[in-house]
Amino acid sequence: MLSKWSLKQIAAVTCACAFLTSWTVTALAIQDDATPVNSADASVASIGQPEAVVGPNGATVDDFPPQLDVIYLRSGGQIHGEAREITGESRPYWLVTTESGGILKLDSRVVDRIKFAEDEYAAQIGAMDPESAADHWTMYEWCDNQERSSSRFKQEMNFHLQRICDLDPNDEKARKLLDLELDDTTGRWVRPEQRYANHGYVKIIGGYVPEMFLDIYEYENDEKTQVNNREREFTGWLRSLRTETDERLMTEQLFAIVDETMIPAVYEKAKEEPNLRLRMLLVDAIGRVPGVTAANSLVHFAVRDPARSIRERALILLKQDQYNQHAAAMKAAGFLSDENNDYVEQAGFVIGELGSPATTLSLIEALITIHTPPRDPNAPAPGSINFGSDSLGGTGLSTGGNAPPRPQPFYNRNVLSALTRITERSTGYSDDPFNKDGWRRWYTETHTISDIDVRRDE
């Protein structure tokens, strides 16, 4: 429908109609204080203003909000707005104020007819009792059934619902349509924001929070904004690596960007960075920031990074006074149960360097671990046929019958080294240093509190 088009579309269509029919249609948007007609002696006549229709209890059109007229065009379209006829010029025309506040100037010859809302609405309210909630319900339903009721009769529908609530305070349906809620503290029907305000809540983006928490919310919101800004700076820094050649300047900029809030982003980037020098720089940036998040990130690189230089650098950074070595060792102990035996051994080495007695039991359990070794890429696949030559230069056939690798025990010497350094013992209660049972018996005996007198003194 034309009523759903924008002003520009309406103007374009009406101008096209004017071109085909030699009628003149112009559309212009003006400010509220602008004069729609340039002629000084032009007069404005309000068309379709019926005499006041008086209801049984004195209700008139003026007691209700204004409505929208429907202008039917000869082209078949419709325009909704407030229509006024200008008759002071040689050729009369219509000024239509639309819902959005714009004004259309229409040659009277493109207008087929006008259905004035006040005529239609007045005919309905003329017979109603303004003090009857039932009559207001009838008017509300009539408005709701009209074409484009949500825009043409929005004010009228709200007006009738308000009157229903005034006349019948127990009408729950009308209050729900007005988006009202019962406030249990005051016993009154109020809008949701007022009910929350009565309970000490304030509106924020996405809901409501207690007023006492508003400072916390604003602080968190400011912090999120700062994090977003720093993430944008970090992204820009990464892009500038393509063109900037001053390594010292780039290092200073990175260290200025990375703080505790940026550790997760830098950590993720460093994990995926294939360039060894850049990955080392990112690890150094993490190592300049105190806190648990930075320490945990460094533990990851100390244990799992494929480059020995990165692993050693991360371990050196972990030994700084700004980090809790015991907490870092406990984080590394989580890798003692990894499926990859290389990580188990490296975790044992890191724990031995950090030296935390809290990891003793974890080290005992990781002395021997079971892993499936990787398959030899040069070994023939099961069932395959291979051609080869013997020592005498002859050729022969062989079939690949070797089975897939099976799980097998791994004796972890770095784990044992860490255990002996922390406990200052070479073995447990056994001659075999890898005997877990001997170590368990030793740990139980040396770490069990006994001979405690729980009797109360008389």
Side-chain angles (χ1 to χ4, degrees):
M1 290 176 59
L2 186 57
S3 57
K4 295 184 178 179
W5 293 1
S6 66
L7 294 181
K8 290 183 179 179
Q9 290 172 315
I10 293 172
V13 172
T14 40
C15 285
C17 292
F19 176 79
L20 295 174
T21 61
S22 298
W23 294 337
T24 303
V25 180
T26 58
L28 61 153
I30 63 174
Q31 302 296 328
D32 293 339
D33 57 351
T35 304
V37 182
N38 293 327
S39 177
D41 58 352
S43 62
V44 178
S46 296
I47 304 301
Q49 302 280 353
E51 294 184 3
V53 180
V54 182
N57 290 287
T60 67
V61 177
D62 295 334
D63 294 328
F64 301 92
Q67 299 81 41
L68 296 178
D69 305 323
V70 183
I71 299 90
Y72 294 90
L73 304 177
R74 293 183 184 276
S75 62
Q78 298 178 17
I79 301 175
H80 294 262
E82 181 183 353
R84 294 181 295 165
E85 187 178 28
I86 308 301
T87 59
E89 296 185 352
S90 58
R91 178 178 297 174
Y93 60 89
W94 289 91
L95 284 181
V96 181
T97 303
T98 65
E99 301 172 65
S100 61
I103 293 181
L104 292 178
K105 180 180 179 181
L106 302 177
D107 190 292
S108 60
R109 289 176 292 183
V110 304
V111 178
D112 180 50
R113 59 191 172 88
I114 297 178
K115 183 179 181 181
F116 291 98
E118 288 189 353
D119 292 346
E120 193 175 4
Y121 189 69
Q124 298 294 323
I125 67 170
M128 71 164 289
D129 180 1
E131 300 301 318
S132 168
D135 283 6
H136 281 285
W137 266 122
T138 300
M139 287 301 303
Y140 171 84
E141 291 169 355
W142 179 87
C143 294
D144 192 35
N145 290 329
Q146 303 309 301
E147 182 181 6
R148 298 180 71 247
S149 60
S150 60
S151 58
R152 289 184 61 206
F153 293 98
K154 180 179 179 180
Q155 293 181 346
E156 291 81 356
M157 293 167 69
N158 285 336
F159 170 80
H160 290 297
L161 289 174
Q162 290 284 1
R163 289 294 295 142
I164 293 169
C165 293
D166 294 339
L167 297 169
D168 185 3
N170 295 321
D171 195 315
E172 188 173 346
K173 180 180 177 182
R175 298 188 185 281
K176 286 184 177 180
L177 287 170
L178 286 171
D179 194 25
L180 299 178
E181 298 178 355
L182 181 62
D183 187 351
D184 53 2
T185 60
T186 62
R188 300 177 58 186
W189 289 85
V190 296
R191 293 198 174 275
E193 56 268 22
Q194 183 59 49
R195 185 172 72 87
Y196 277 104
N198 293 342
H199 287 266
Y201 283 74
V202 292
K203 186 174 180 60
I204 60 172
I205 298 176
Y208 295 84
V209 296
E211 189 172 4
M212 66 178 68
F213 295 151
L214 185 59
D215 290 342
I216 298 176
Y217 167 78
E218 291 176 346
Y219 171 79
E220 291 179 346
N221 200 40
D222 291 343
E223 186 172 306
K224 289 179 181 178
T225 301
Q226 294 177 7
V227 171
N228 291 337
N229 292 338
R230 287 192 176 274
E231 287 180 348
R232 283 193 291 269
E233 290 180 19
F234 181 58
T235 302
W237 181 86
L238 291 173
R239 284 197 299 265
S240 66
L241 288 174
R242 305 170 186 171
T243 56
E244 182 60 56
T245 58
D246 190 339
E247 185 173 338
R248 181 173 174 273
L249 174 63
M250 294 300 294
T251 302
E252 292 177 353
Q253 290 178 351
L254 176 64
F255 290 169
I257 293 172
V258 178
D259 60 7
E260 188 172 5
T261 63
M262 282 297 299
I263 295 299
V266 179
Y267 165 74
E268 293 296 332
K269 173 61 180 174
K271 282 199 307 180
E272 301 172 358
E273 177 54 50
N275 184 285
L276 182 61
R277 292 185 63 186
L278 178 55
R279 193 161 77 249
M280 180 72 80
L281 182 59
L282 294 174
V283 170
D284 279 337
I286 293 174
R288 293 173 58 87
V289 180
V292 176
T293 305
N296 290 344
S297 301
L298 292 174
V299 169
H300 171 89
F301 292 109
V303 174
R304 300 196 60 164
D305 199 277
R308 179 176 180 178
S309 59
I310 299 289
R311 296 196 301 268
E312 292 176 348
R313 180 59 179 165
L315 182 56
I316 291 173
L317 294 172
L318 274 173
K319 292 182 178 181
Q320 297 178 97
D321 292 338
Q322 64 181 356
Y323 298 123
N324 185 327
Q325 274 79 45
H326 293 290
M330 290 299 295
K331 180 68 176 178
F335 292 98
L336 293 174
S337 58
D338 198 280
E339 293 181 357
N340 189 324
N341 184 252
D342 291 339
Y343 297 154
V344 175
E345 282 282 62
Q346 184 62 23
F349 178 78
V350 170
I351 293 171
E353 292 296 313
L354 297 177
S356 173
T359 61
T360 301
L361 272 179
S362 298
L363 291 169
I364 291 173
E365 298 303 321
L367 285 170
I368 304 175
T369 53
I370 306 299
H371 304 275
T372 301
R375 183 182 180 86
D376 184 357
N378 297 319
S384 63
I385 300 177
N386 302 285
F387 294 88
S389 58
D390 56 24
S391 59
L392 300 177
T395 60
L397 298 176
S398 64
T399 58
N402 60 320
R406 294 182 178 182
Q408 63 186 51
F410 281 72
Y411 291 76
N412 302 310
R413 296 193 175 277
N414 283 349
V415 174
L416 176 61
S417 175
L419 183 60
T420 57
R421 289 180 64 179
I422 290 173
T423 62
E424 298 181 351
R425 293 180 59 88
S426 59
T427 64
Y429 288 165
S430 171
D431 294 335
D432 181 5
F434 287 98
N435 188 304
K436 292 184 181 182
D437 289 336
W439 280 104
R440 291 184 187 120
R441 290 197 304 271
W442 166 82
Y443 186 86
T444 300
E445 182 175 316
T446 57
H447 291 75
T448 300
I449 301 176
S450 58
D451 299 329
I452 299 178
D453 188 358
V454 297
R455 293 178 300 174
R456 297 177 59 184
D457 294 335
E458 297 295 338

